[in-house]
Amino acid sequence: MTDTRFDPSTADGRWQSAWDAAGTFVADSNSAKPKSYILEMFPYPSGRIHMGHVRNYTMGDVLARYKKMRGYEVLHPMGWDAFGMPAENAAMEKKVHPGEWTRANIAGMKAQLQRIGFALDWTREFATCDPEYYGHEQALFLDMFAAGLVYRRSSEVNWDPVDMTVLANEQVIDGKGWRSGAAVEKRKLDQWFLKITDFAQDLLSGLDALKDWPEKVRLMQENWIGKSQGLEFSFELSNGEKLPVYTTRPDTIFGASFCAIAADHPIAQGLAGDNAVAAFIEQCKRGGTTAAELETAEKLGFDTGITARHPFTGAALPVFIANFVLMDYGTGAVMGVPGHDQRDFEFATKYALPIRRVVASDPSQAEAPMGDAAEAGDGVIVNSGFLDGKSVEDAKAEVIARAENGGWGQGKTVWRLRDWGVSRQRYWGTPIPFIHCLNENGACGIVPVPKDQLPVTLPEDVDFEVPGNPLERHPTWKHTTCPQCGSEARRETDTLDTFTNSSWYFLRFASQPADRPFDPDEIAKWMPVQHYIGGIEHAILHLLYARFWTRALAHIGKFDVKEPFAALFTQGMVTHETYSLGDGSWLSPDEVRKDGADWVAIEDGAPVMAGRVTKMSKSKKNVVDPDAIMADYGADAVRWFMLSDSPPERDLPWSASGIEGCGRFVQRLWRLFQQLDPSATGEDKALARKAHQTIVAAAQDIEALGFNKAVARIYELTGATEKAAPSASRNFAITTLMHLVSPMMPHLAEEAWAQAGNSGLIADAPWPEHDPAMLVEDEVTIAVQHMGKLRDTLTAPKGASKETLEALALASENVQRSIDGAAIRKVIVVPDRLVNIVT
RNA sequence: GCGGGUGUGGCGGAAUGGUAGACGCCGGGGACUUAAAAUCCCCUGAGCUUUGCUCGUGCGGGUUCGAGUCCCGCCACCCGCACCA
């Protein structure tokens, strides 16, 4: 027996080369095996792989390797979400071309991923900034245009004054740009849009079928799509105009006591000549939009003096300009029903408007006084003329029917989801393949680039000396001729939102013909993705856009796939301790030590405060570099750490002692693997049984993505095997362990496999078979309780009769002492588990 | 405010209504060693009058022979959304 250590610094690279040379992880779409497409969200090539990537990709890797062992042909690809603003920022700061910067990052990060030994099919690698990729994207965009799913319109856009670009609604957070953090301004620009709203209902309905998506993500998408059903109708105003409003509660229409319009509503704007009105509008716009501000913001209104005629009662309702009404939802105007809407209630209270009950728990409560809040709940309609006695549901239908018959309103579904503005005034993105014809007769207008002229490639010679779009000011790039009439023309200089790139990349991984974006037959073989793994931060944007593109492409006949991702898993973050000096500066966890109960800086003994355990970030100096860890412990220890302890959907706290423990376990397994003893004979039934049980349990755990549980079981089997005396069973347990850890610690497993004299790669070996007969214990431990409290345990043969167990239990000294002569009223026996004696 | 999640030892966490704390980390003790590293063994929820007993899964109730698990009512923290009519 040797006492050599496993040396990852040589072994890791050796096996990575072996897999590479053998093409072990190259997916064969012509294979007769069942297919399994395992995908992790591809990274943005920002510079370095971080621990979050390592965790994400390790989970996917274990699944991919496991599926391969179970006889699947596995597609597990990797590529680069390579367009985006950081590349342009780098270009501005470091005077490097965005493409050069991106390519260098990709090379570095690819080497890092390879160093970790991921089972990836690198033959399918691409970056979204490859002209080949974005050329196909342009073709798909033109197809969608031809199908009426792309349009152009002038619209008020969210303009980020720092990044000098347009942001989608989704990219505006609390009125600030999601990336720059600058306050977003409104500007009118001609923009390209994708008609995601055409699919609003389908995207919503489709969520129900996504059983293997987290409930949380489905809810977030549901809320984002934001379907509401109600009535749109117009009030006749005292000034002769009409005021369209939208309500989801037409049943409460008799409770309306005022109308409120947004500050930027046309009627309000029409009154802005009045100084008082103008001042009020200005005041509304100043209000903050953060959660805290909105919660505490007082409801403010300005009585316009105009009144609105109630469609049923004819009552004259005052029309207010109000700060809580939004112009961009519904019609920008509401009917105020204070009794049954909290905002309206607050407003009515402030301005002494009538608060009328029109819904009650039952008709006898019609005159019950209102409390100090609106009642939004269900009930029966009261004080509402012909609606009295109806349920809320029936009353809604009745009012909508009357409005439609009377021609003054109609039932309407309103969506929160808006069409997706994809124009970006940036260089580093997919050029939008259109040409603006400058012919003076204007007949051509905006013309699609003919497909045989794709890709429209980005110019290489660009400068980033001034903010704004380098394509716009490039000396020659935008000048071209009209494909239709041949006259002078100008290229579209907007590029596509980078979320477009990630909306179909999974299709290109599955199939990459040179002349088309993808081949439908190949798509049919691999799609949908069986397991999609990534961060929760993409719960709305990326996942909704990808679902939309898949539907849109299916809609125009590209293939027959509806949902791109059959199962979604959102993994937790990798976190680490933080230590602050109290002045806003931070120390890295390896720069501090514990001094009694306190933390101090190692360097100068200065007192340090332990902060929260948070996501690794440069600003808090709690980042751990994967390369450094791999240099110390090897890839397998890091992979093992990523899978251990924390359930994968929760955060994983990094710790130095934790990785050390993983490093120790790698060596412990290595020592055990060397104890295979061909001369050993004889059966160790208990150990063999444990090995068979672990084969089954670990498989179940991996399939449920319960990696931490699979890890715990492997620890248990390892411990039991170590303790066992040499036997044929022990050899079996050792070989079993080699297989069970091979998806998780593939380098160690290969090394041990080869050292044990096996030919071929363990990566190609199947998951071990289990013997069902060996799963059953022949002896079980029975818990013995008195009044539900544990008093003793006893060993009995599996399947012992109730009578036997009861007798054994009553024979226990501890039990008899506890019973203390009391009369036994009942004995509950759960076969093979417990006996509970009730007195 | 609405929606969702989480709450179990010093820490990460296990546990089809049936022996709470598997497994890992930390810590303590011991073996080996001149010594250290490495490795191995033992202990490790709290308390007590210690063959054993009591308490213990955020808090308060309930259902049950039996509750971390089911039901009702709270609390705390985290995440998402938001004056969405």
Side-chain angles (χ1 to χ4, degrees), chain A residues 597-617:
Chain A
D598 305 318
W599 291 94
V600 296
I602 290 171
E603 193 180 4
D604 56 7
V608 174
M609 282 177 291
R612 280 174 174 272
V613 178
T614 63
K615 181 178 182 174
M616 290 185 179
S617 78

Side-chain angles (χ1 to χ4, degrees), chain A residues 746-763:
Chain A
H747 310 89
L748 174 74
E750 293 288 4
E751 190 82 357
W753 183 250
Q755 205 199 32
N758 297 288
S759 59
L761 295 164
I762 198 169

Side-chain angles (χ1 to χ4, degrees), chain A residues 793-837:
Chain A
T793 59
L794 51 92
T795 308
K798 169 107 181 165
S801 72
K802 287 195 173 194
E803 292 72 25
T804 312
L805 292 176
E806 183 174 336
L808 282 168
L810 289 169
S812 159
E813 222 178 281
N814 289 347
V815 171
Q816 284 303 332
R817 186 172 342 104
S818 181
I819 294 172
D820 195 22
I824 295 170
R825 289 193 292 137
K826 197 175 174 185
V827 178
I828 287 144
V829 182
V830 182
D832 297 334
R833 291 220 77 126
L834 66 64
V835 179
N836 187 16
I837 294 153

